[in-house]
Amino acid sequence: MALGILMILFVGMSVISILGLLLMYLLKGEKAKAAAFYIMAVWGMAVSAMSAVSLPGNYTGQQILAWGFGFLSVAGLLVHIGSREKSRRMAAYLLVTISVIGGILKMFVFTM
């Protein structure tokens, strides 16, 4: 039964992540795109926090890696806030994308 709940959690979090990232890249309006970006940045931080907190205390390296994915979202937010040109915004989008995908993979696939 616990594996079934874990599977539902994995599918739910994956769907939210995929849909959010698609919206972040495919929306046309700048306000809607910025809103999707901020939501996905917070989502990336939340996923990495859940991943890091769920690990045992003696898995220090794995916890640091999980928190690192969250700090990529923070870096993306800082780049996005200070950006004026489109290339810097794209770099911020890529940082948040790496944070979300890496956090999900770290939580469910690469926990050793």
Side-chain angles (χ1 to χ4, degrees), residues 25 33 80 85-95:
Y25 284 107
K33 203 172 211 179
H80 190 270
E85 47 290 332
K86 210 167 194 153
S87 63
R88 293 186 89 191
R89 282 197 191 116
M90 184 56 70
Y93 293 159
L94 289 174
L95 284 171

Side-chain angles (χ1 to χ4, degrees), residues 6 9-10 47-67 69 101-112:
L6 187 63
L9 181 68
F10 173 68
V47 167
S48 70
M50 285 187 285
S51 179
V53 171
S54 69
L55 290 168
N58 59 347
Y59 282 27
T60 309
Q62 297 291 319
Q63 287 178 343
I64 291 171
L65 180 65
W67 286 114
F69 284 123
I101 292 173
I104 293 288
L105 289 176
K106 170 71 186 84
M107 182 183 286
F108 291 107
V109 179
F110 296 120
T111 302
M112 290 191 239

